[in-house]
């Protein structure tokens, strides 16, 4: 639904412009001069110039805009670096035409709205409700450069008196959130998204229809076609058996996302920590969408307070009865990106994240793809995380270069494929390095 609003509140209360201050100053000088020189005509000029800015401010206050605003985004959800259009429909509610003014959208710098521009003159309010001369549609294209739920609005209307002596800004309408999702890079298909626990090619991954049908036997029922008779099962059970189609479940993949509070950094390095966390989010987004496109049901465990929700009812029960955010429906990629748009470094660190990951892997019943993205301080349960290697196929850890070297060493010694990244790294480049390291490991193992 478009955001609507009629509220008009001053952002900058009426005040004199540079011209108004100049006239007021001249008026004060004239008043002083009239007293010294005893000139009545100079006194009249002084009073007039002194009162003029005050009268202009009263005029701007009384003649404040009476507008309704409806705001919409196309598309509603946009990725970092992608273009969106903000459509703002403004209607004059006053019985008089609107005065000359300027306008701009109030929004964070990350959204990139256009600078102030002249506001079109609107006709008097029309009661028919159509798009007449009392209505204008303002459009602007923006390219957000940072993810998040950014508040766009209210509309800021700047109003000056006809002589340019006084000036005020009014906020009109209500803000609306523009959801900006993380940047998603296409990742190459390969051995990193194929589980080998049921053969060299995981049978469930490459079906043209992810929920392919599997054949099992059941007892014959009147009306079943004879072409579906399962003769081997009939001989085994000594009764007529037929093949029954049963839907396969999607294969699973698990991810561990490091959202724990960032460690204290020297002054001036806070931006580096922020960029490193943004790289974590981009990696999780790109890998998660890639896995979903390959037909996986993706579960994401956070090392900090739970922020991801996943599909309602789809979460897997974790420790202490909590649920792991799981994405496994046709629109799961949009759900994942929408959740990641608002994720931030957590205020509190969890101590059971690795336990939750291990419990989920054990319930899978076989080795499944596992991807870990670590930043900041190494997990307190680093040894426990390393021990989960046998449950992952493949098991890949993306480790921030700012972490101690022993973090990657402990995981690599346990058999994890460890890839180092730095703040600002492209997820596709990190994924490609992982593929290259995997191929290099296979070749060296063959030697």
């Amino acid at each position: 639904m478009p955001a609507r609003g009629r509220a008009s509140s001053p952002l900058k209360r009426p005040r004199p412009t540079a011209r108004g201050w100049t006239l007021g100053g001249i008026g004060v000088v004239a008043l002083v001069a009239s007293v010294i020189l005893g000139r009545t005509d100079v006194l009249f000029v002084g009073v007039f110039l002194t009162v003029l800015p005050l009268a202009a401010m009263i005029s701007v206050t009384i003649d404040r805009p009476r507008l309704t605003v409806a705001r919409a985004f196309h598309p509603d959800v946009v990725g970092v670096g992608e273009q969106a259009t903000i459509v703002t429909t403004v209607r004059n509610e006053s019985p008089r035409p609107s005065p000359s003014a300027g306008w701009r959208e109030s929004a964070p710098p990350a959204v990139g709205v256009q600078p102030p521009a002249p506001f079109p003159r609107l006709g008097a309010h029309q009661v028919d409700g159509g798009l007449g001369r009392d209505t204008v549609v303002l459009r602007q294209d923006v390219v957000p450069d940072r993810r998040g739920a950014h508040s766009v609005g209210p509309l800021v209307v700047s109003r000056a008196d006809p002589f340019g002596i006084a000036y005020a800004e009014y906020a009109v309408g209500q803000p609306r959130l523009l959801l900006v999702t993380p940047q998603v890079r296409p990742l190459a298909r390969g051995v990193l998204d194929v589980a080998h626990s049921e053969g060299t090619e995981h049978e469930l991954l490459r079906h043209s229809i992810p929920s392919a049908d599997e054949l099992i036997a059941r007892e014959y029922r009147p009306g079943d076609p004879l072409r579906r008779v399962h003769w081997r099962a009939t001989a085994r059970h000594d009764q007529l058996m037929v093949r029954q189609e049963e839907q396969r479940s999607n294969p699973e993949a698990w991810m561990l996302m490091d959202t724990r509070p960032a460690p204290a950094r020297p002054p001036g390095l806070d931006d580096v920590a922020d960029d490193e966390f943004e790289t974590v989010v981009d990696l999780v987004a790109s890998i998660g969408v890639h896995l979903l496109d390959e037909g996986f049901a993706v579960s994401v465990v956070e090392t900090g307070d739970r922020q991801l929700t996943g599909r309602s009812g789809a979460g897997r029960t974790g420790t202490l009865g909590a649920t792991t955010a799981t994405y496994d429906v046709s629109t799961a990629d949009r759900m994942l990106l929408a959740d990641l748009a608002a994720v931030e470094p957590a205020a509190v660190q969890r101590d059971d994240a690795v336990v939750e990951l291990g419990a989920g892997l054990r319930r899978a019943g076989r080795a499944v793809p596992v991807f870990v993205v670590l930043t900041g301080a190494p997990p307190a349960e680093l040894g426990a995380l390393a021990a989960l290697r046998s449950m992952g196929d493949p098991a890949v850890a993306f480790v921030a270069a700012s972490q101690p070297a022993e973090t990657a060493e402990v995981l690599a010694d346990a058999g994890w494929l460890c890839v180092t990244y730095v703040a600002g790294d492209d997820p596709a480049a990190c994924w490609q390095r992982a593929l290259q390291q995997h191929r290099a490991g296979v070749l060296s193992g063959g030697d």
Side-chain angles (χ1 to χ4, degrees):
M1 291 291 292
R4 303 187 67 92
R6 187 176 174 175
S8 175
S9 57
L11 287 176
K12 291 184 178 178
R13 297 186 179 278
R15 63 188 65 187
T17 61
R19 180 182 300 176
W21 284 113
T22 301
L23 293 176
I26 295 174
V28 171
V29 172
L31 289 175
V32 174
S34 68
V35 173
I36 296 175
L37 301 176
R39 298 285 300 272
T40 306
D41 54 345
V42 176
L43 176 63
F44 174 77
V45 172
V47 172
F48 176 77
L49 293 180
T50 303
V51 173
L52 186 60
L54 179 60
M57 288 189 290
I58 295 174
S59 171
V60 171
T61 303
I62 295 175
D63 193 18
R64 64 195 307 165
R66 293 178 57 193
L67 307 170
T68 55
V69 175
R71 186 178 292 102
F73 306 128
H74 302 287
D76 285 336
V77 180
V78 64
V80 170
E82 299 177 358
Q83 180 175 293
T85 301
I86 302 175
V87 180
T88 307
T89 304
V90 186
R91 188 177 188 189
N92 185 18
E93 296 294 331
S94 172
R96 295 176 297 141
S98 66
S100 59
W103 73 278
R104 63 180 174 85
E105 284 283 17
S106 176
V111 177
V113 295
Q114 70 182 32
F119 187 76
R121 296 288 296 270
L122 300 180
H125 176 68
Q126 300 175 0
V127 296
D128 57 6
L131 294 179
R133 297 181 59 185
D134 64 341
T135 304
V136 65
V137 178
L138 308 172
R139 298 176 182 268
Q140 58 177 310
D141 295 328
V142 297
V143 181
D145 60 7
R146 197 167 186 85
R147 68 175 180 85
H150 301 298
S151 178
V152 178
L155 182 72
V156 178
V157 178
S158 56
R159 170 83 172 90
D161 70 283
F163 302 102
I165 299 175
Y167 168 87
E169 282 188 350
Y170 294 96
V172 184
Q174 301 299 322
R176 183 179 180 185
L177 293 180
L178 173 63
L179 189 63
V180 182
T181 63
Q183 192 174 45
V184 176
R185 296 294 192 186
L187 306 182
R189 296 174 66 176
V191 292
L192 294 185
D193 49 38
V194 177
H196 297 71
S197 59
E198 295 183 2
T200 56
E201 287 285 335
H202 194 297
E203 191 179 20
L204 297 178
L205 292 181
R206 305 297 188 210
H207 283 280
S208 58
I209 303 176
S211 58
D213 292 330
E214 183 178 9
L215 300 179
I216 63 174
R218 62 167 174 81
E219 295 180 6
Y220 174 84
R221 297 170 186 166
D224 288 335
L226 293 179
R227 59 183 173 82
R228 292 176 57 186
V229 173
H230 195 301
W231 298 109
R232 180 176 300 178
T234 298
R236 184 185 307 116
H237 295 280
D238 197 25
Q239 60 179 332
L240 198 58
M241 305 288 289
V242 296
R243 294 187 298 271
Q244 173 178 278
E245 296 179 349
E246 179 178 276
Q247 197 176 61
R248 292 183 176 181
S249 60
N250 289 333
E252 296 182 30
W254 284 76
M255 302 184 71
L256 180 69
M257 179 182 182
D258 202 343
T259 59
R260 71 188 68 245
R265 303 233 179 180
L269 293 182
D270 291 341
D271 291 341
V272 175
D274 291 342
D275 292 343
E276 196 170 78
F277 185 78
E278 292 302 315
T279 305
V280 170
V281 177
D282 289 346
L283 272 168
V284 172
S286 296
I287 296 173
V289 170
H290 176 76
L291 294 172
L292 290 168
D293 288 343
E294 293 299 310
F296 286 93
V298 180
S299 297
V300 184
V301 179
E302 303 162 77
T303 61
D305 290 338
R306 301 178 193 272
Q307 302 176 62
L308 307 179
T309 57
R311 181 170 67 88
S312 177
R316 308 178 194 281
T317 302
T319 56
L320 302 177
T323 57
T324 303
T326 301
Y327 305 86
D328 61 352
V329 293
S330 59
T331 58
D333 54 345
R334 289 177 59 87
M335 295 180 187
L336 174 63
L337 294 177
D339 280 353
L340 290 175
V343 72
E344 298 291 344
V348 179
Q349 174 179 330
R350 290 176 52 200
D351 296 328
D352 59 350
V354 175
V355 175
E356 180 179 332
L357 176 63
L361 294 176
R362 279 187 289 273
R363 284 194 301 272
R366 60 177 182 273
V368 298
V370 181
F371 299 90
V372 173
V373 186
L374 302 178
T375 185
E381 310 90 347
L382 188 57
L385 181 61
L388 299 181
R389 169 62 186 92
S390 61
M391 302 182 188
D393 182 21
V396 185
F398 295 91
V399 183
S402 61
Q403 289 207 33
E406 52 266 25
T407 301
E409 292 173 359
V410 170
L411 295 176
D413 289 344
W416 285 78
L417 177 62
C418 292
V419 180
T420 303
Y421 69 90
V422 297
D425 261 357
D426 189 314
C430 296
W431 184 263
Q432 193 62 35
R433 289 201 298 270
L435 287 172
Q436 293 171 355
Q437 288 187 28
H438 177 81
R439 294 191 189 104
V442 171
L443 291 177
S444 62
D447 294 341

